[in-house]
Amino acid sequence: SKVLAEDVADLAVALAISVTRGTVRGHDFVRDGHWEKGGSFPLGRSLRSLKTGIVGLGHIGSAIAKRLQAMGATVAYQGPRKKPVDLAYFQTAAELADWADLLIVTCPAMPETIGLINQDVLDALGPGGFLVNIARGTIVDERALIATLARDGIAGAGLDVFEKEPHVPEALRHDPRVVLSPHMGSGTLETRQQMGDRLVEALLEHFAKR
């Protein structure tokens, strides 16, 4: 819903920056004293230089596209049908991934999207590519993602959702190229308040009609 879209979009961008710039690793690097000992921190990638593909251009996908365009990134999308927007459209997730440097998954979980981000899509994204998933864990084939990371098939991933939450595979938990968050896309005070307000409004309307 539109209520959630803005906060989820913020988190998607935060994860995209975290995984491309290494902000979580940077935090550990400073906290663990490596900087003070004269260590050098690796260079990140500039978000605006990355071609960003959005899988599913609904309320959330559109809100992400707006933010990324404001940052100067080139954005394209994939979905079941073309929309009246000024963005390049790709018919399949694999074609979008082949074009993109950063793939952000925002589509709903439906029978046709389960496992949509499979081995072929990850291979198309390639060794320099980044994946961000703020949709549902079942949309990304987790085993394929782990196998791809193990052979340096992609550069990193930012994940807010997982196949069997709250279980997160050890391979993802211990990979420094992966930024993890606990399915907190809509988890702000403001959004939860609005969600509560909407529920109360709907209930009042329901009983008024009766």
Side-chain angles (χ1 to χ4, degrees):
S1 85
K2 281 183 180 172
V3 174
L4 309 180
E6 300 298 327
D7 280 333
V8 178
D10 287 346
L11 185 72
V13 174
L15 284 171
I17 292 170
S18 296
V19 74
T20 55
R21 295 294 299 273
T23 50
V24 176
R25 276 187 289 175
H27 170 84
D28 292 341
F29 181 78
V30 175
R31 189 187 56 189
D32 298 342
H34 298 302
W35 193 27
E36 208 169 351
K37 289 180 187 135
S40 66
F41 191 71
L43 297 175
R45 297 291 307 275
S46 163
L47 197 58
R48 71 182 171 277
S49 74
L50 302 177
K51 290 183 291 188
T52 301
I54 297 175
V55 179
L57 200 74
H59 293 318
I60 295 170
S62 301
I64 292 168
K66 227 168 37 180
R67 284 158 173 72
L68 290 166
Q69 285 179 302
M71 295 170 82
T74 304
V75 181
Y77 73 104
Q78 182 271 330
R81 68 199 69 82
K82 213 172 169 189
K83 300 203 168 189
V85 293
D86 193 21
L87 296 173
Y89 171 72
F90 289 83
Q91 281 192 309
T92 70
E95 287 170 309
L96 180 67
D98 192 40
W99 169 85
D101 303 303
L102 166 64
L103 195 67
I104 302 182
V105 183
T106 74
C107 58
M110 298 185 291
E112 59 270 34
T113 62
I114 288 173
L116 177 69
I117 309 304
N118 58 17
Q119 193 61 66
D120 289 346
V121 175
L122 294 168
D123 289 345
L125 188 55
F130 297 92
L131 174 73
V132 168
N133 185 12
I134 46 85
R136 283 290 180 271
T138 50
I139 297 167
V140 172
D141 180 340
E142 220 162 69
R143 283 172 66 181
L145 175 60
I146 289 165
T148 304
L149 284 161
R151 58 159 199 278
D152 298 326
I154 63 171
L159 308 170
D160 185 45
V161 288
F162 306 89
E163 268 184 23
K164 298 189 174 99
E165 295 171 10
H167 169 71
V168 177
E170 207 168 321
L172 294 176
R173 284 192 287 118
H174 296 299
D175 191 325
R177 299 163 297 176
V178 178
V179 179
L180 309 164
S181 67
H183 199 151
M184 62 185 200
S186 66
T188 66
L189 284 169
E190 291 79 4
T191 284
R192 292 295 159 87
Q193 179 69 54
Q194 279 181 291
M195 286 166 78
D197 292 348
R198 290 281 165 94
L199 181 62
V200 171
E201 282 164 23
L203 287 166
L204 289 170
E205 201 178 320
H206 171 75
F207 289 113
K209 278 179 183 160
R210 284 181 64 185

